[in-house]
Amino acid sequence: MSSIITVLLFSVLLILTKILDAELTCEPMPMDSYMCMHPKLGYNLTSLPNLLNHASVADAALELHQFWPLVKVECSAALRPYLCSLYFPMCLPNQGTLSPCRRLCEAAYKGCAPLMRRFGFRWPRALRCGQWTDEGSCYEGPVDLLSHKPGDICLQRYNSLL
């Protein structure tokens, strides 16, 4: 009887080890994440499930693509790194993924939320900054990113459309 229990416990331990190893496996940035295959982001390894619980590259890429117009109009230099850190987070081998820093989120929000409001959209709940922290290890985006003043170019360029 005790040998059966030992075998069962060993089997459970082996399965848990495989599950944990799978969660910490860093993979090259997938081709479907073209918006995040940018050299200035500072990383090219990611892992799924992501911070928004997408388990597949296709699901993450499809949802990420809805933000392409905001990235394209450059309402904030922080938007692309922030979105990528959520949908295709930076993965450090043997350490796991990094969450975005709150200040990266806030820079994206300050630049893009006003433009979104002008067109009747709210900042998505899943992207809200209160869930992130600047303490410990977090993804800050490119080194010079947070020195830019968010939103200025975008709002000047698109105020005339309203």
Side-chain angles (χ1 to χ4, degrees), residues 15-25:
I15 290 169
L16 287 175
T17 302
K18 287 188 181 254
I19 290 171
L20 291 174
D21 284 346
E23 289 178 3
L24 296 177
T25 301

Side-chain angles (χ1 to χ4, degrees), residues 21-76:
D21 284 346
E23 289 178 3
L24 296 177
T25 301
C26 296
E27 301 289 334
M29 195 70 74
M31 293 301 290
D32 289 355
S33 68
Y34 66 90
M35 190 182 340
C36 299
M37 296 181 75
H38 197 281
K40 288 188 177 182
L41 290 180
Y43 67 96
N44 60 6
L45 295 177
T46 190
S47 181
L48 291 174
N50 64 19
L51 299 172
L52 300 173
N53 292 319
H54 295 104
S56 77
V57 170
D59 289 345
L62 183 64
E63 191 171 308
L64 173 63
H65 186 72
Q66 72 183 336
F67 296 103
W68 179 245
L70 285 176
V71 171
K72 196 74 175 150
V73 298
E74 300 174 351
C75 54
S76 171

